[in-house]
Amino acid sequence: MSRLLCRQFPSRLLCRARPAQSFRCYASTPPIAQFNWQDPLGSKNLLTAEEQAVSETAEQYCQARLLPRVLQAYRDEHYDPEILREMGDLGLLGATIDGYGCAGVSSVAGALITRAVERVDSGYRSSMSVQSSLVMGAIHDFGSAEQKERYLPDMAKGKLIGAFGLTEPNHGSDPGSMEAVAREHPQKQGYYLLGGSKTWITNSPIADVLVVWAKLQETGKIRGFLVDRKQCPAGTLETPAIKNKTGLRASITGMIHLADCPVPKANMFPEVEGLRGPFTCLNSARYGISLGTMGALEDCIARARTYALERKQFRGNPLAKYQLVQKKLADAATDAAYGVLAAIQVGRLKDEGKATPEMISMIKRQNCDRALHNARVLQEIFGGNAVSDEYGIGRHVANLYVCQTYEGQSDIHSLILGRAITGVQAFV
Amino acid sequence: MSRLLCRQFPSRLLCRARPAQSFRCYASTPPIAQFNWQDPLGSKNLLTAEEQAVSETAEQYCQARLLPRVLQAYRDEHYDPEILREMGDLGLLGATIDGYGCAGVSSVAGALITRAVERVDSGYRSSMSVQSSLVMGAIHDFGSAEQKERYLPDMAKGKLIGAFGLTEPNHGSDPGSMEAVAREHPQKQGYYLLGGSKTWITNSPIADVLVVWAKLQETGKIRGFLVDRKQCPAGTLETPAIKNKTGLRASITGMIHLADCPVPKANMFPEVEGLRGPFTCLNSARYGISLGTMGALEDCIARARTYALERKQFRGNPLAKYQLVQKKLADAATDAAYGVLAAIQVGRLKDEGKATPEMISMIKRQNCDRALHNARVLQEIFGGNAVSDEYGIGRHVANLYVCQTYEGQSDIHSLILGRAITGVQAFV
Amino acid sequence: MSRLLCRQFPSRLLCRARPAQSFRCYASTPPIAQFNWQDPLGSKNLLTAEEQAVSETAEQYCQARLLPRVLQAYRDEHYDPEILREMGDLGLLGATIDGYGCAGVSSVAGALITRAVERVDSGYRSSMSVQSSLVMGAIHDFGSAEQKERYLPDMAKGKLIGAFGLTEPNHGSDPGSMEAVAREHPQKQGYYLLGGSKTWITNSPIADVLVVWAKLQETGKIRGFLVDRKQCPAGTLETPAIKNKTGLRASITGMIHLADCPVPKANMFPEVEGLRGPFTCLNSARYGISLGTMGALEDCIARARTYALERKQFRGNPLAKYQLVQKKLADAATDAAYGVLAAIQVGRLKDEGKATPEMISMIKRQNCDRALHNARVLQEIFGGNAVSDEYGIGRHVANLYVCQTYEGQSDIHSLILGRAITGVQAFV
Amino acid sequence: MSRLLCRQFPSRLLCRARPAQSFRCYASTPPIAQFNWQDPLGSKNLLTAEEQAVSETAEQYCQARLLPRVLQAYRDEHYDPEILREMGDLGLLGATIDGYGCAGVSSVAGALITRAVERVDSGYRSSMSVQSSLVMGAIHDFGSAEQKERYLPDMAKGKLIGAFGLTEPNHGSDPGSMEAVAREHPQKQGYYLLGGSKTWITNSPIADVLVVWAKLQETGKIRGFLVDRKQCPAGTLETPAIKNKTGLRASITGMIHLADCPVPKANMFPEVEGLRGPFTCLNSARYGISLGTMGALEDCIARARTYALERKQFRGNPLAKYQLVQKKLADAATDAAYGVLAAIQVGRLKDEGKATPEMISMIKRQNCDRALHNARVLQEIFGGNAVSDEYGIGRHVANLYVCQTYEGQSDIHSLILGRAITGVQAFV
């Protein structure tokens, strides 16, 4: 299967550079005159041929290979690291990065991949986002040439797994108050000692390389460190899994405990200082979430629509015939269509250097909020049957709650937007 | 523990008949001049001393004995039948029934018990509601004298466990279309053969006695049957559990498969015919849910409030200091306070013979909807931490979704109310 | 008409003292077994016979005498002061006050009067609330014996009209920052000179006596003053009307400009100091609003229901047959029923000395919010026809917006509740 | 003023044909790196230079010429027909039509004009929409060559005013049941006699030419007729104004009564039959509304933002500092930004022949709903001051209610979408 995809795909995705002239794909398409409930506002019209191809390959992979695994994985809270290697084979990891064996596609194409993955499960998407946007992105944007060469190619193939350590137990929405610290190694020259704890870290229990943000003791400034698990002496790095999660159970989440863990100075990101580093990475990840969650919502719509057409009550009418059901579907389809357009727009601006963090706050917040809200409303269509996990909608609902809270809880983004609109901050 | 409760409680709850003259408890209470966030509109003022005592006993038992079990039970989808026996010891089962070893308390008192139980978990409450309202209620209201004597006393003690088989795989909101059938036994006189399947049946895998509603073949009318598990020949009754539920995991749910199961004619409810039977029982259960879900919501408020006071972000301020957080708490507290008042009012009318099914549709719908909505909003206060099941709020959220859908999905109650208001039916 | 009412009514309302023993009216009522969409949760059951009689008299008057006037009055922004005299004749003014020619009924009965008036128009209710709760209430609670004797009897008859000057142009939600000031008269002994401006003052252009809150220069503390228009020298008191209002157009609203207006010291409320004075009055007025707005909402329900039954679209079906329409009606009826119960409960507690200001914040906020929200949703049933003012629903919608904002804007009450729940203030 | 605009504008808008090669305007723009609260998602980036120029000219005209008139016009329910002539001078009428003196701009450009007008007032936009989309659009799409030549040039200049008669008193959402009828004139050859009534017809009292849809008696099919007021014998055409409207008071609305009004057969649209005719026109008008209402919402945001920055409460903080206020602004800005993108997207598809009516249902419904909802929420920021009509927000709120109901009430569009998504209709 994956070989088949590889044949048709990397020829395009991996081997070609970005096309000199991006073109609108609809040039040769015959006019569509029909409403398509899966793309109500014709967003496909905005995609280049390359982007469409990337999207199709990702969708095929996800439906063929991820979907069959997710039900059991979610039940068992099991994450199979093989998934990242499969994604790597297809060129889906770090896809927006140019070079280092990455595909170098547009931001929109990158987000179409997240949409395909999240159509199956937000946990799978989370794992991929961490690998691609947070870790590979951080290394690409802030790493030294040597750091890039050393990690990016293997991460692109999924041979090395990354984790991103920012959030601490006592500092969720306010990372600036972090307590993790890096201090000069008292004996070993050229080394720092890292101490502190991070929590809610996707992939941490299985990660080979962990980007850890900590305050450099001598300056008090936040810096980024590449903690390479195989270099850490026993007992200095622990990454216990957090179990019994109420959502995102198909991904693995854990803590990072660093106890005087020696890290070579060469593993510190050379330039970036303060919150700019982590926030730049989060920005990319949030962008991916904004289109990713639309995939989850679209899957909820498709599932609810099918159920509503098949389930009959009262004189043999399908549920789809009831006005109250139709309104739920109409509302959800509208929010999905709007959310997709907004995400494509910001992706375009991003590639033109015109996107601002507030734009990403806006679409991350809105798309997560609407995905969650509509998923819940669509769940009502299933009535009591939604209690069976086989309908899948309950899983999306539980996952989307998490998406709404991580990488900037919804209210925090409201206040970021409020500040951007008024010029007045209201965090305190 | 339970003995202690027994000492102080059944003397009051079990041994006394209903007081000749119900009195308002506040007669001798000194004026409360302070706002109490746990009872914002002073609903306690509406309770008799007996009702307050019942409530306190139930609350003590639930906090002391149920709360410590629920986290693990929910994780494991495990229900301990011992719970019903403990409740039986305390007189909490079938508490509104007069006689047969039941406590004979007011409808409000009965609902205060459900509130206490659901404050811990809706699954525990479901199991108790089925035992008390659906099964004991059905036997009490429609059973022959002999049926009552045979089942009620042991059910009141929790020695026999009941289940209520109405919903079928293809007929959720529309039970009138049920397919289960009872036909004259071709050989064995005085027996019917029951065939058909029921699903989403709380307690079914562990039930000793199952009330099964089926169409009597000779009349086509719906009748109720007491299926006594120990009387069923092997292979004629199966009650497999439904696993991997997305909510109510602390209760046990299953199917009922009847394959030519012989049931004595004496086990049929003698009088009641049509949907009046099951709907009467549902009415009582729904009434209990209306106050029960307020208990779950109140627990969410208490948990969110504690978290908001303890969790500090941005310059050491507790989350409780943020306007967006305060609004969530204020909204939830308001809905809880209103919902409690409405449930008490309908309970009073019920005991006076003035409650109509539409009133119960109204409070069942509204209280479930608002409990679910507010629980979700309060969950946001926990941010990413809500993903840890130890905070409990995610469990309430998942449970309350189920409460909103069972015993009349919210939209169905909307249409019942719409019909009552306009005189026009819109079920199509 | 009004004479007829007088014959049947004041014999009960005005001439009798409060009954020695308040009794529940349902004692002798035959069981109601039918759902009544106008009182879905049987709130009538909670009223004494006296309260029911007061309510019926008020409803009859309002439907017979106010309803026919309101359409034109609203169009023209005209308020007829005769209305207060008619209300006075019926004993509807200051009805909860004992003595001074007032009816001395329960808080619930007083609020049933506001419900009857607001069922017609919130503007009429506002005018009455100001007279009864704010002005007569202030005089009764804080006035000297002489002040009471001088003003209350004539105000009760509607011969003197009152206004209540608290809000200032720059201080709406935060009256503690008021700028109005009373200073010792430099020449005239026993007099203060009042200066300052008040705005959004119901009745001010037609008021005979204005309660004005101002800071006493010598102490800096807020005090209350009875400004008697006929005693004010020309040019010292001006009360221009505010025209072109977007709501409450059937009441008259204005400003109060005081320019060194001499007021006898004997006209100052003798005891009360600080915000306790105005807040006590507001508390009573807010309580009335909480049940009053339910009257407006109930009228919206009645109007929408009638329209939905009469208006036919698509194959001759009445709009009432559509699920989307039924849901709107069901939601509104539920909120109205809940709101009425909550208001009755707080009224009972009020009379028992157990109501707290936060309770009133809760029901004022919730009932205004839900009345406004549902009125807007019900308006949708009228489609384009709601643009015609003759359907009345647009008027309620516009009025209810104002009710939501005055006497504590909804968000302010949220923060009051948030503070009461958490113990932390977030007004900033 | 208008001459000034003419100098800079028609050179571009009127005299040039559509550019051979539409180009993206951002080609030469320096990167914007700053968040712009007035265009949060950079929609300007999607506009051609021509579209931006059209938009700016329209905005300038509207702010300079319409804004100063609207307050008084709304108070007085007065519409000045001169406005259409001014718009005609600027080329704003029928702007998407090619030829006949029309500007021939893109659908997006046309909608940018409606946005500019509706930023001032939805009533002004309604009047223009009727002229441009409904009447000129109908003539252009369905008229004979002669009809086009006769009416379009003068309508483009605003010398002739149009009205569109579809809705009847008893048939709002269901025009297929219309009762208006055209029958062969019994005496006068080449003439029909038109009879029937239309209501809620924008511009009808001042219209020179009225497009009236009626059933042709001989076929029972709906046909369109150009009723030319100056050709109608006295007493056969009456167009009384509807007064005392609760919204859209700055536009004029009326009825059309036709009493055996003789209309030349040559005034019937030659080809179109059935509802396709009116629905095509409505489709265009609805498209304009979808972007137009975003203008109204954007104006509400701007007004609320200004107010929140200027109004200070509690220790001198501007309202803008309060989280509850910031959230309202953030929500509204998000919905406006999303709505604009969706409308631009559908405009692009429209010009490519790929837009479907369901797409327009989706954006008409969503943008009207969100504009109305957010306008109401923003109004809360003004507190009691919103009652003064000078703040303008109350006017937008009242107008937007009408926009939500006309040209397809929101619920009707929900059902259109529901049908498109499920393939099942639920109108009955």
Side-chain angles (χ1 to χ4, degrees), chain A residues 24 26 33 40-42 45 305 321 323 326 331 338 345 349 352 354 359 365 367 421 424-426, chain D residues 24 26 40-42 45 305 321 323 326 331 338 345 349 352 354 356 359 365 367 421 424-426:
Chain A
R24 289 297 192 76
Y26 53 77
L41 295 180
N45 218 36
R305 180 181 171 274
K321 190 162 177 55
Q323 295 188 340
Q326 291 207 348
D331 289 347
Y338 274 54
Q345 165 73 354
L349 295 175
E352 294 173 21
K354 297 176 186 165
M359 288 180 180
R365 181 184 82 122
N367 288 7
I421 294 167
V424 181
Q425 75 86 7
Chain D
R24 289 297 193 78
Y26 54 76
L41 296 179
N45 217 37
R305 178 181 172 274
K321 189 161 178 58
Q323 295 188 339
Q326 291 208 348
D331 289 348
Y338 274 54
Q345 164 74 351
L349 295 174
E352 295 173 21
K354 297 175 186 165
T356 71
M359 288 180 180
R365 180 183 83 121
N367 288 7
I421 293 168
V424 181
Q425 76 85 8

Side-chain angles (χ1 to χ4, degrees), chain D residues 122-141:
Chain D
S122 303
Y124 288 154
R125 199 266 306 137
S126 296
S127 170
M128 186 189 70
S129 290
V130 166
Q131 178 84 353
S132 293
S133 300
L134 293 182
V135 181
M136 295 179 71
I139 296 171
H140 181 260
D141 289 356

Side-chain angles (χ1 to χ4, degrees), chain B residues 24 305 326 338 365 421, chain C residues 24 305 331 367 421 424:
Chain B
R24 288 299 191 76
R305 179 180 171 276
Q326 291 207 349
Y338 274 55
R365 181 184 82 122
I421 294 166
Chain C
R24 288 297 193 78
R305 178 180 172 276
D331 289 348
N367 288 7
I421 294 167
V424 181

Side-chain angles (χ1 to χ4, degrees), chain C residues 47-331:
Chain C
L47 306 181
T48 64
E50 179 185 83
E51 286 163 347
Q52 290 197 43
V54 169
S55 174
E56 275 159 36
T57 303
E59 295 283 357
Q60 282 171 35
Y61 163 70
C62 295
Q63 294 296 310
R65 302 296 306 276
L66 294 183
L67 186 57
R69 289 188 249 194
V70 69
L71 179 63
Q72 200 58 45
Y74 194 89
R75 284 179 182 168
D76 301 344
E77 291 200 283
H78 172 73
Y79 180 72
D80 180 0
E82 189 60 29
I83 288 172
L84 284 174
R85 277 186 284 275
E86 294 169 10
M87 290 177 168
D89 281 348
L90 283 169
L92 302 177
L93 301 179
T96 57
I97 293 173
D98 222 343
Y100 306 99
C102 299
V105 297
S106 70
S107 287
V108 168
L112 291 169
I113 297 172
T114 67
R115 175 160 77 155
V117 178
E118 194 150 3
R119 192 183 304 285
V120 175
D121 191 79
S122 303
Y124 288 153
R125 198 268 304 137
S126 296
S127 170
M128 185 188 70
S129 290
V130 166
Q131 179 83 354
S132 295
S133 300
L134 295 183
V135 182
M136 296 178 71
I139 296 171
H140 181 260
D141 289 356
F142 305 117
S144 63
E146 194 204 349
Q147 289 167 355
K148 291 185 208 187
E149 289 298 344
R150 184 148 135 241
Y151 292 110
L152 289 180
D154 279 358
M155 294 197 75
K157 292 198 183 67
K159 289 183 185 168
L160 287 180
I161 296 180
F164 186 85
L166 176 64
T167 299
E168 300 192 350
N170 296 316
H171 307 284
S173 297
D174 180 22
S177 307
M178 68 171 57
E179 298 167 36
V181 117
R183 61 191 173 95
E184 199 81 22
H185 196 298
Q187 291 94 28
K188 210 168 164 186
Q189 208 160 7
Y191 275 79
Y192 291 113
L193 285 179
L194 257 68
S197 286
K198 303 287 180 178
T199 195
W200 297 119
I201 308 302
T202 301
N203 291 352
S204 87
I206 57 168
D208 302 294
V209 53
L210 303 94
V211 171
V212 172
W213 302 91
K215 284 185 178 156
L216 196 59
Q217 199 176 40
E218 52 196 271
T219 64
K221 298 272 175 62
I222 293 169
R223 301 298 297 255
F225 300 86
L226 287 162
V227 178
D228 197 323
R229 189 189 292 267
K230 67 179 186 299
Q231 298 177 340
C232 298
T236 63
L237 169 68
E238 299 204 340
T239 55
I242 300 174
K243 285 296 180 184
N244 299 301
K245 288 187 295 175
T246 64
L248 290 194
R249 293 166 59 96
S251 68
I252 186 160
T253 308
M255 305 189 77
I256 301 175
H257 296 304
L258 292 156
D260 279 348
C261 180
V263 174
K265 289 190 174 179
N267 280 21
M268 185 170 79
F269 290 145
E271 300 286 335
V272 70
E273 213 176 55
L275 285 169
R276 189 173 69 84
F279 280 9
T280 301
C281 309
L282 284 172
N283 223 30
S284 281
R286 285 169 184 166
Y287 173 64
I289 293 172
S290 76
L291 197 52
T293 50
M294 293 297 95
L297 174 54
E298 288 165 339
D299 191 50
C300 293
I301 295 169
R303 288 170 184 263
R305 178 180 172 276
T306 299
Y307 186 85
L309 286 167
E310 290 176 357
R311 178 83 175 173
K312 296 187 170 53
Q313 295 281 296
F314 298 115
R315 305 196 210 165
N317 283 317
L319 295 186
K321 188 162 177 56
Y322 299 110
Q323 294 188 340
L324 296 175
V325 170
Q326 291 207 348
K327 178 155 170 41
K328 294 182 217 284
L329 289 165
D331 289 348

